[in-house]
Amino acid sequence: MRGADITQQELFSYRTLEDRIPKDHPLRKLRAVVDILLTTPDSEFDALYARTGRESIPPERLLRASLIQVLFSVRSERQWVQQIEFNLLYRWFVGLTLDAEVWDHSTFSANRDRLLNERISRLFFERVVLLAEWQDLLSDEHFSVDGTLIQAWASMKSFVKKDGGSPPPEDGGRNPSVDFKGEKRANATHASTTDPEARLYKKSEGDKAQLCFMGHALMENRTGLVVDVEVTHATGTAERDAAKIMIGRTVTKPGATVGADKAYDVPEFVQALREQRVTPHVARKEKGSAIDGRTTRHAGYRTSLKRRKRVEEIFGWSKTVGGLRQTRFRGLKKVAAQTVFTFAAYNLTRLGGLFGWRWSTA
């Protein structure tokens, strides 16, 4: 007998969100791991909130929401809140019940300086790295370092002279036409009115210059996990300066190796690593290389040059899945918070593969 297509709303539901999520769903194990990671910084969370007054949204829920937003490549927080409203899987992961009201999208902006900042993001990142160390997945011997450009949330039209001498737009409207032909623009004389901390920079000859920041990652070669992160202004020496900072606070074993591309083949950088008792496995330039036969004669040098290319997988995932190709925020500190949190999300997806849990969203 054919059933009638009649929709009638039921007053009550006798199945919880926990019952609706499949027992073998890959995000179940990720949720369990994230819950453990978020229980460790309780004292840090308590220090962020007053002891009296109206209860706020639990910080654990905001961080779980931010994490799942990165994993599912939802760029807009307004769109993300809308998806949490009707997607039961997202509700369950965040920790909301079926009838709980979803907070407004502006809640993320209101908590940007207090909770969703670089300090808390780095704390979460460090907890993920500690989890990998606890599982004996990290070594202290072989690393690689590299940097990538992060496009700023600012238009090239906003890059005007600091003294206010730039000509007015040729026409009006929301998107006026601006003719930059024949005008020499540089960071010393120009600045963006949208994001003054962004810098005009290009990484190679023949490439177009853009307003951007620079993100840096220190990778452990065996597993491809990010063990340190740094975000800086985009300059010609930023990659080497950030690499020395990360190596100084993370690489502690004498004789450890650090692989890098030809941009790091500078006498000052190579000498700085040797003074820190770190072996520089830097790709050699064709002329004027600071790397000599004492380093290149070893088989480990060639292995490091092969392994270091895996750092591009980190940047590729972060820009395609993690939404880091162009930042959603303005200012170095907020871009740093987004970058550190995105690399923490990458490490979690990488750990899922190493553990065999396969919680990837792909």
Side-chain angles (χ1 to χ4, degrees):
M1 176 179 178
R2 179 181 175 182
D5 185 18
I6 300 176
T7 302
Q8 182 175 355
Q9 299 293 334
E10 296 181 358
L11 185 59
F12 300 103
S13 175
Y14 299 96
R15 296 179 62 195
T16 64
L17 279 180
E18 187 70 25
D19 297 332
R20 295 176 185 273
I21 307 302
K23 299 298 182 183
D24 58 346
H25 196 282
L27 285 184
R28 278 191 174 273
K29 292 181 178 178
L30 175 60
R31 168 70 189 274
V33 171
V34 172
D35 287 347
I36 295 174
L37 294 175
L38 292 179
T39 56
T40 53
D42 273 342
S43 59
E44 286 81 358
F45 289 157
D46 290 339
L48 299 175
Y49 294 88
R51 297 186 179 276
T52 59
R54 188 179 62 178
E55 290 188 355
S56 64
I57 299 172
E60 295 85 355
R61 293 183 180 179
L62 290 175
L63 289 173
R64 280 197 293 262
S66 299
L67 175 63
I68 202 72
Q69 179 186 3
V70 173
L71 295 178
F72 282 86
S73 307
V74 182
R75 185 171 183 83
S76 167
E77 290 170 350
R78 185 187 297 269
Q79 180 186 11
W80 179 234
V81 170
Q82 293 175 352
Q83 294 196 24
I84 296 178
E85 178 66 42
F86 62 78
N87 192 307
L88 298 185
L89 176 64
Y90 297 163
R91 276 182 167 268
W92 167 81
F93 190 90
V94 170
L96 296 173
T97 62
L98 192 61
D99 295 324
E101 183 179 0
V102 184
W103 54 82
D104 189 78
H105 67 89
S106 61
T107 303
F108 290 100
S109 300
N111 285 272
R112 190 76 59 200
D113 295 328
R114 178 176 59 176
L115 178 65
L116 304 177
N117 54 32
E118 183 181 3
R119 186 172 71 87
I120 299 299
S121 296
R122 192 171 290 275
L123 184 65
F124 181 71
F125 173 84
E126 291 172 354
R127 294 297 188 274
V128 177
V129 175
L130 286 175
L131 173 63
E133 291 180 351
W134 178 60
Q135 293 292 325
D136 197 25
L137 293 174
L138 295 179
S139 71
D140 56 356
E141 297 177 340
H142 305 292
F143 302 88
S144 295
V145 67
D146 203 358
T148 188
L149 297 182
I150 302 173
Q151 187 177 347
W153 191 258
S155 169
M156 289 295 294
K157 295 179 181 180
S158 69
F159 196 64
V160 298
K161 291 183 178 180
K162 296 179 181 180
D163 58 7
S166 298
E170 297 179 356
D171 52 8
R174 295 180 57 187
N175 190 21
S177 299
V178 180
D179 185 10
F180 297 114
K181 186 175 182 180
E183 179 183 352
K184 184 178 181 180
R185 294 183 291 174
N187 293 313
T189 57
H190 291 62
S192 171
T193 56
T194 304
D195 188 351
E197 295 190 74
R199 297 291 183 267
L200 187 66
Y201 185 75
K202 61 180 180 179
K203 207 172 182 183
S204 60
E205 293 294 334
D207 194 9
K208 67 175 182 179
Q210 58 181 333
L211 290 172
C212 56
F213 298 91
M214 188 168 285
H216 314 269
L218 182 66
M219 180 191 72
E220 194 274 328
N221 284 356
R222 184 172 65 168
T223 57
L225 292 170
V226 185
V227 293
D228 205 346
V229 187
E230 194 71 23
V231 179
T232 64
H233 294 295
T235 66
T237 62
E239 287 187 286
R240 299 188 294 273
D241 294 339
K244 287 185 288 187
I245 294 174
M246 293 187 294
I247 293 170
R249 67 187 177 199
T250 303
V251 182
T252 58
K253 184 176 181 179
T257 66
V258 174
D261 58 30
K262 294 181 180 180
Y264 296 84
D265 187 8
V266 176
E268 181 270 336
F269 177 75
V270 173
Q271 182 61 29
L273 262 59
R274 295 192 185 278
E275 291 176 356
Q276 296 181 24
R277 303 178 68 182
V278 175
T279 304
H281 282 182
V282 179
R284 299 185 65 182
K285 295 179 180 178
E286 295 182 0
K287 296 181 179 179
S289 175
I291 303 296
D292 53 29
R294 294 177 299 171
T295 302
T296 59
R297 65 183 179 180
H298 298 288
Y301 174 78
R302 293 184 291 273
T303 302
S304 291
L305 294 186
K306 293 180 180 179
R307 288 285 186 175
R308 70 168 181 83
K309 298 178 181 179
R310 296 181 63 181
V311 75
E312 299 298 340
E313 298 178 11
I314 300 170
F315 296 147
W317 186 95
S318 300
K319 291 186 177 184
T320 55
V321 178
L324 200 61
R325 183 188 65 83
Q326 182 178 22
T327 179
R328 304 191 304 270
F329 311 112
R330 298 166 184 168
L332 181 63
K333 291 183 178 180
K334 292 183 179 179
V335 175
Q338 180 191 7
T339 303
V340 174
F341 197 82
T342 302
F343 284 170
Y346 169 82
N347 277 351
L348 282 173
T349 61
R350 183 67 182 160
L351 286 173
L354 295 173
F355 291 156
W357 293 346
R358 303 299 179 187
W359 58 48
S360 174
T361 59

